[in-house]
Amino acid sequence: MIKETISKLLNEQVNAEYYSAYLYLSMAAYADRAGYKGIANWLHVQAKEEMAHGTRIFQYMLERGALPSLGGIKAPPASYSGITEIFEKVLAHEQGVTESINRIATLAEQEKDHAAYQFISWYVSEQVEEEASAEELLTRVKLIDSHSGLLFNLDTALASRVFTDPFGR
Ligand code: OFO
Protein backbone atom coordinates (compact mmCIF):
# COMPACT_ATOMS: atom_id res chain seq x y z
CA MET A 1 0.00 0.00 0.00
CA ILE A 2 1.36 3.37 -1.00
CA LYS A 3 1.49 6.25 1.49
CA GLU A 4 -1.36 8.77 1.28
CA THR A 5 1.07 11.69 0.77
CA ILE A 6 2.64 10.07 -2.33
CA SER A 7 -0.70 8.88 -3.62
CA LYS A 8 -2.05 12.46 -3.40
CA LEU A 9 0.79 13.82 -5.55
CA LEU A 10 0.46 10.94 -8.04
CA ASN A 11 -3.23 11.69 -8.31
CA GLU A 12 -2.49 15.35 -9.00
CA GLN A 13 0.03 14.23 -11.62
CA VAL A 14 -2.60 12.16 -13.44
CA ASN A 15 -4.65 15.33 -13.72
CA ALA A 16 -1.60 17.35 -14.81
CA GLU A 17 -0.75 14.83 -17.57
CA TYR A 18 -4.33 14.86 -18.87
CA TYR A 19 -4.28 18.67 -18.75
CA SER A 20 -1.07 18.52 -20.82
CA ALA A 21 -2.97 16.47 -23.42
CA TYR A 22 -5.77 19.06 -23.42
CA LEU A 23 -3.26 21.89 -23.77
CA TYR A 24 -1.50 20.24 -26.72
CA LEU A 25 -4.83 19.47 -28.38
CA SER A 26 -5.82 23.13 -28.12
CA MET A 27 -2.48 24.08 -29.67
CA ALA A 28 -2.95 21.46 -32.40
CA ALA A 29 -6.31 23.00 -33.25
CA TYR A 30 -4.71 26.44 -33.56
CA ALA A 31 -1.83 25.14 -35.71
CA ASP A 32 -4.20 23.20 -37.94
CA ARG A 33 -6.44 26.22 -38.56
CA ALA A 34 -3.36 28.37 -39.21
CA GLY A 35 -2.35 25.92 -41.98
CA TYR A 36 0.53 24.21 -40.16
CA LYS A 37 -0.63 20.61 -40.47
CA GLY A 38 2.81 19.18 -39.59
CA ILE A 39 3.06 21.16 -36.37
CA ALA A 40 -0.53 20.13 -35.61
CA ASN A 41 0.51 16.50 -36.14
CA TRP A 42 3.48 16.89 -33.75
CA LEU A 43 1.16 18.36 -31.12
CA HIS A 44 -1.41 15.58 -31.61
CA VAL A 45 1.30 12.97 -31.04
CA GLN A 46 2.42 14.93 -27.98
CA ALA A 47 -1.16 14.90 -26.66
CA LYS A 48 -1.34 11.10 -27.10
CA GLU A 49 1.92 10.70 -25.19
CA GLU A 50 0.51 12.78 -22.34
CA MET A 51 -2.57 10.56 -22.17
CA ALA A 52 -0.24 7.55 -21.99
CA HIS A 53 1.79 9.23 -19.20
CA GLY A 54 -1.37 9.97 -17.19
CA THR A 55 -2.86 6.53 -17.70
CA ARG A 56 0.35 4.79 -16.63
CA ILE A 57 0.32 6.70 -13.33
CA PHE A 58 -3.37 5.89 -12.91
CA GLN A 59 -2.59 2.17 -13.38
CA TYR A 60 0.38 2.37 -11.04
CA MET A 61 -1.81 3.82 -8.28
CA LEU A 62 -4.16 0.86 -8.65
CA GLU A 63 -1.22 -1.57 -8.59
CA ARG A 64 -0.14 -0.03 -5.27
CA GLY A 65 -3.59 -0.20 -3.69
CA ALA A 66 -4.51 3.48 -4.09
CA LEU A 67 -7.76 4.69 -5.58
CA PRO A 68 -7.23 7.33 -8.28
CA SER A 69 -9.85 10.05 -8.12
CA LEU A 70 -10.46 11.95 -11.33
CA GLY A 71 -11.11 15.64 -10.83
CA GLY A 72 -12.04 18.21 -13.44
CA ILE A 73 -9.48 19.22 -16.02
CA LYS A 74 -9.18 22.97 -16.45
CA ALA A 75 -9.68 24.47 -19.88
CA PRO A 76 -6.50 25.30 -21.83
CA PRO A 77 -6.13 28.65 -23.64
CA ALA A 78 -8.49 28.90 -26.61
CA SER A 79 -6.18 30.86 -28.86
CA TYR A 80 -2.56 31.77 -29.47
CA SER A 81 -0.76 34.65 -31.12
CA GLY A 82 1.38 32.43 -33.35
CA ILE A 83 3.61 29.38 -33.62
CA THR A 84 6.38 31.02 -31.55
CA GLU A 85 4.00 31.54 -28.64
CA ILE A 86 2.93 27.92 -28.90
CA PHE A 87 6.45 26.59 -28.45
CA GLU A 88 7.18 29.14 -25.71
CA LYS A 89 4.16 27.80 -23.88
CA VAL A 90 5.14 24.15 -24.56
CA LEU A 91 8.55 24.79 -22.98
CA ALA A 92 7.16 26.70 -19.99
CA HIS A 93 4.56 23.99 -19.46
CA GLU A 94 7.11 21.17 -19.56
CA GLN A 95 9.34 23.04 -17.10
CA GLY A 96 6.35 23.17 -14.72
CA VAL A 97 5.71 19.44 -15.21
CA THR A 98 9.36 18.72 -14.43
CA GLU A 99 8.93 20.52 -11.11
CA SER A 100 5.88 18.47 -10.18
CA ILE A 101 7.61 15.21 -11.18
CA ASN A 102 10.65 16.20 -9.10
CA ARG A 103 8.39 16.86 -6.11
CA ILE A 104 7.10 13.29 -6.36
CA ALA A 105 10.63 11.89 -6.67
CA THR A 106 11.78 13.90 -3.63
CA LEU A 107 8.84 12.75 -1.54
CA ALA A 108 9.27 9.10 -2.57
CA GLU A 109 12.92 9.37 -1.53
CA GLN A 110 12.05 10.99 1.82
CA GLU A 111 9.42 8.34 2.51
CA LYS A 112 11.91 5.61 1.50
CA ASP A 113 9.38 4.24 -0.97
CA HIS A 114 11.90 2.69 -3.35
CA ALA A 115 9.24 1.30 -5.66
CA ALA A 116 7.58 4.71 -6.12
CA TYR A 117 10.98 6.31 -6.59
CA GLN A 118 11.90 3.78 -9.26
CA PHE A 119 8.53 4.24 -10.95
CA ILE A 120 8.78 8.03 -11.07
CA SER A 121 12.41 7.92 -12.24
CA TRP A 122 11.15 7.06 -15.73
CA TYR A 123 9.27 10.36 -15.71
CA VAL A 124 12.32 12.24 -14.43
CA SER A 125 14.27 11.08 -17.51
CA GLU A 126 11.32 11.66 -19.79
CA GLN A 127 11.14 15.29 -18.65
CA VAL A 128 14.76 15.83 -19.71
CA GLU A 129 13.72 14.77 -23.23
CA GLU A 130 10.48 16.74 -23.12
CA GLU A 131 12.28 19.96 -22.20
CA ALA A 132 15.08 19.34 -24.71
CA SER A 133 12.73 18.82 -27.64
CA ALA A 134 10.57 21.82 -26.66
CA GLU A 135 13.69 23.97 -26.35
CA GLU A 136 15.04 22.79 -29.69
CA LEU A 137 11.78 23.47 -31.50
CA LEU A 138 11.44 26.90 -29.86
CA THR A 139 14.97 27.81 -30.95
CA ARG A 140 14.26 26.68 -34.51
CA VAL A 141 10.95 28.52 -34.67
CA LYS A 142 12.56 31.72 -33.34
CA LEU A 143 15.40 31.47 -35.86
CA ILE A 144 13.04 31.16 -38.76
CA ASP A 145 10.38 33.55 -37.36
CA SER A 146 9.00 35.63 -40.26
CA HIS A 147 10.67 33.42 -42.94
CA SER A 148 7.51 31.57 -43.82
CA GLY A 149 9.28 29.36 -46.37
CA LEU A 150 11.54 27.94 -43.65
CA LEU A 151 8.62 27.51 -41.28
CA PHE A 152 6.99 25.49 -44.03
CA ASN A 153 10.07 23.20 -44.09
CA LEU A 154 9.84 22.67 -40.34
CA ASP A 155 6.13 22.01 -40.68
CA THR A 156 6.84 19.34 -43.29
CA ALA A 157 9.47 17.71 -41.05
CA LEU A 158 7.11 17.55 -38.06
CA ALA A 159 4.40 15.92 -40.18
CA SER A 160 6.33 12.65 -40.07
CA ARG A 161 6.18 12.20 -36.27
CA VAL A 162 4.19 9.10 -35.31
CA PHE A 163 2.90 8.03 -31.93
CA THR A 164 4.53 5.02 -30.32
CA ASP A 165 3.30 4.05 -26.88
CA PRO A 166 6.14 4.97 -24.50
CA PHE A 167 5.19 1.99 -22.32
CA GLY A 168 5.02 -0.42 -25.26
CA ARG A 169 1.35 -1.35 -24.70
FE1 OFO B 1 4.03 14.07 -19.56
O1 OFO B 1 5.42 14.95 -20.27
FE2 OFO B 1 4.83 16.51 -21.05
O2 OFO B 1 3.75 17.17 -19.78
Side-chain angles (χ1 to χ4, degrees):
M1 184 85 175
I2 199 161
K3 282 210 167 118
E4 184 63 36
T5 47
I6 302 177
S7 160
K8 184 175 175 291
L9 289 192
L10 287 174
N11 209 92
E12 286 171 12
Q13 195 60 36
V14 171
N15 189 288
E17 299 289 347
Y18 289 159
Y19 173 74
S20 301
Y22 248 38
L23 176 65
Y24 294 144
L25 279 176
S26 82
M27 292 173 171
Y30 173 87
D32 189 288
R33 294 307 300 267
Y36 296 108
K37 302 280 185 193
I39 291 171
N41 173 64
W42 189 90
L43 289 160
H44 268 291
V45 173
Q46 194 69 15
K48 284 182 186 161
E49 275 194 12
E50 301 301 356
M51 290 299 294
H53 293 169
T55 303
R56 181 66 194 102
I57 298 172
F58 175 92
Q59 287 170 331
Y60 180 74
M61 290 179 71
L62 290 170
E63 284 162 19
R64 296 288 310 274
L67 182 66
S69 96
L70 297 172
I73 298 170
K74 73 174 181 194
S79 91
Y80 302 90
S81 62
I83 297 299
T84 304
E85 192 203 356
I86 282 191
F87 285 106
E88 279 168 353
K89 281 198 159 35
V90 170
L91 178 59
H93 179 70
E94 289 303 334
Q95 287 166 336
V97 172
T98 299
E99 279 177 28
S100 57
I101 292 288
N102 285 344
R103 265 197 298 278
I104 300 172
T106 303
L107 183 63
E109 211 172 13
Q110 283 166 355
E111 298 284 6
K112 300 192 180 0
D113 186 333
H114 303 295
Y117 184 79
Q118 188 186 37
F119 171 76
I120 210 66
S121 294
W122 183 90
Y123 288 81
V124 172
S125 309
E126 172 69 6
Q127 282 312 117
V128 173
E129 274 180 41
E130 292 278 66
E131 283 195 35
S133 69
E135 232 169 317
E136 187 201 322
L137 285 169
L138 177 59
T139 304
R140 286 170 73 183
V141 166
K142 276 183 171 165
L143 275 174
I144 60 187
D145 210 12
S146 79
H147 294 82
S148 53
L150 292 175
L151 194 49
F152 179 76
N153 288 349
L154 177 65
D155 189 60
T156 305
L158 295 184
S160 63
R161 185 183 188 196
V162 289
F163 173 68
T164 48
D165 190 322
F167 304 103
R169 290 164 305 181

